[in-house]
């Protein structure tokens, strides 16, 4: 095996030293601790009157609130399909405002045709990676859960994890999948005690801890070399020229 001589002495000619930073523990220190309660936004993926994903979302909300969090649950009734309306639609603006307000998310979807539902996907699709200088999801924590009508499956939570990574969120390791959900909730929509409920408690507890750990450090954790380069005035001017908004 070919091993270059250590330490490397051939330099890094492709690296912009002006934008390169060495990560340090100092950057992770919290100088001004937040005084407000952790803020959580919950999305669920069914509009049915008796919706088990909504019931599970409510259980998560109760738990996060009991732990001291502030919780908002988004109601997707009236949200247009992506690209079927403009971003100034009131339901779209409501969703984006809640995401910007939040520090952590919970996404709950039923499994339909072996995957997540269009209802939850539409909500996520309306959240842009960036809106001007604001990023509605980047650096926020995320917990994923699903309900199934049949045997236990993880298709929906796996798909939600992919979306969470794509949206640049800190997706926690734990997750919840509730099989045969019609057996796990009573007539009032409350989840019955048992191992599946205990797992939901575990997920919410872990989400709360990760949010406390990262929310004051999120800006540092997601600060990237490539984006520091892109923010340079000359880089912005070059992009404007490339897309026809400026002249050389």
């Amino acid at each position: 095996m070919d091993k270059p001589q250590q330490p490397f002495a051939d330099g890094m000619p492709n690296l912009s030293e002006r934008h390169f930073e060495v990560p340090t523990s100092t950057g992770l220190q919290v100088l001004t601790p937040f005084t407000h309660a952790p803020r959580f936004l919950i999305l669920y993926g069914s509009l049915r009157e008796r919706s088990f994903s909504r019931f599970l979302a409510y259980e998560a909300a109760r738990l996060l609130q009991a732990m001291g969090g502030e919780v908002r649950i988004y109601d997707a009734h009236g949200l247009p399909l992506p690209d079927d309306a403009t971003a100034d639609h009131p339901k779209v603006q409501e969703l984006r405002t809640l995401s910007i307000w939040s520090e952590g998310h919970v996404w709950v979807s039923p499994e339909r045709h072996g995957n997540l539902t269009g209802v939850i996907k539409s909500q996520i699709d309306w959240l842009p990676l960036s809106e001007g200088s604001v990023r509605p999801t980047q650096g926020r924590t995320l917990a994923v859960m699903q309900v199934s009508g049949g045997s236990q499956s993880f298709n929906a939570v796996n798909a939600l994890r992919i979306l969470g990574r794509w949206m640049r969120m800190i997706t926690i390791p734990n997750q919840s999948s509730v099989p045969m959900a019609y057996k796990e909730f009573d007539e009032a929509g409350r989840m019955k005690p048992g191992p599946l409920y205990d797992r939901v408690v575990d997920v919410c507890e872990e989400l709360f801890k990760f949010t406390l750990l990262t929310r004051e450090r999120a800006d540092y954790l997601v600060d990237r070399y490539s984006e520091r380069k892109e923010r340079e005035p000359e880089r912005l001017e070059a992009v404007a020229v490339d897309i026809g908004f400026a002249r050389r």
Side-chain angles (χ1 to χ4, degrees):
M1 181 177 179
D2 184 20
K3 292 185 178 180
Q5 184 178 357
Q6 301 287 344
F8 293 106
D10 51 358
M12 292 179 288
N14 297 325
L15 188 72
S16 171
E17 294 186 9
R18 185 155 57 103
H19 301 99
F20 178 67
E21 294 182 2
V22 176
T24 66
S25 57
T26 302
L28 294 170
Q29 294 177 1
V30 177
L31 301 179
T32 307
F34 290 172
T35 57
H36 62 267
R39 299 167 176 170
F40 298 98
L41 171 62
I42 302 182
L43 309 180
Y44 61 91
S46 170
L47 301 179
R48 295 190 309 170
E49 182 176 350
R50 185 166 174 79
S51 165
F52 296 111
S53 64
R54 186 176 74 250
F55 294 161
L56 185 56
Y58 284 7
E59 292 295 345
R62 293 183 183 100
L63 288 164
L64 292 170
Q65 192 173 63
M67 295 172 190
E70 189 176 355
V71 182
R72 299 286 186 271
I73 304 175
Y74 180 72
D75 179 3
H77 282 91
L79 179 70
L81 289 172
D83 302 326
D84 197 34
T86 56
D88 60 357
H89 188 284
K91 290 298 293 185
V92 175
Q93 287 300 303
E94 178 190 357
L95 175 60
R96 293 184 178 187
T97 299
L98 285 172
S99 188
I100 292 168
W101 164 86
S102 71
E103 296 162 340
H105 285 206
V106 180
W107 294 350
V108 188
S109 179
E111 181 171 301
R112 182 170 295 169
H113 300 319
N115 213 303
L116 48 80
T117 65
V119 174
I120 190 74
K121 184 62 162 57
S122 292
Q123 295 173 71
I124 298 167
D125 283 348
W126 271 118
L127 292 172
L129 285 176
S130 62
E131 192 169 26
S133 61
V134 178
R135 299 184 183 273
T137 56
Q138 180 169 270
R140 287 157 179 80
T141 53
L142 171 66
V144 295
M145 303 186 188
Q146 76 168 74
V147 293
S148 303
S151 58
Q152 191 166 49
S153 170
F154 300 95
N155 291 329
V157 288
N158 287 338
L160 290 171
R161 283 189 176 278
I162 293 172
L163 288 168
R165 291 196 301 272
W166 186 260
M167 302 302 287
R168 301 174 179 177
M169 303 180 78
I170 303 167
T171 308
I172 67 169
N174 216 337
Q175 63 187 24
S176 171
S177 174
V178 181
M180 293 183 282
Y182 59 90
K183 292 183 177 181
E184 298 300 326
F185 294 88
D186 61 23
E187 287 301 312
R190 296 305 306 270
M191 195 170 184
K192 298 175 183 178
L196 293 172
Y197 176 76
D198 293 348
R199 184 60 173 265
V200 175
V201 179
D202 289 348
V203 171
C204 291
E205 184 179 65
E206 187 171 291
L207 175 66
F208 204 99
K209 291 176 180 178
F210 269 75
T211 306
L212 289 174
L213 181 66
T214 61
R215 65 176 185 157
E216 293 153 322
R217 302 171 172 88
D219 289 344
Y220 182 70
L221 290 172
V222 300
D223 183 41
R224 295 179 178 86
Y225 165 78
S226 61
E227 293 182 357
R228 289 195 293 273
K229 289 181 66 178
E230 290 171 359
R231 287 195 294 265
E232 286 293 319
E234 60 269 22
R235 172 60 179 164
L236 296 175
E237 183 178 351
V239 171
V241 169
D242 289 340
I243 62 178
F245 283 99
R247 295 184 180 275
R248 293 187 185 277

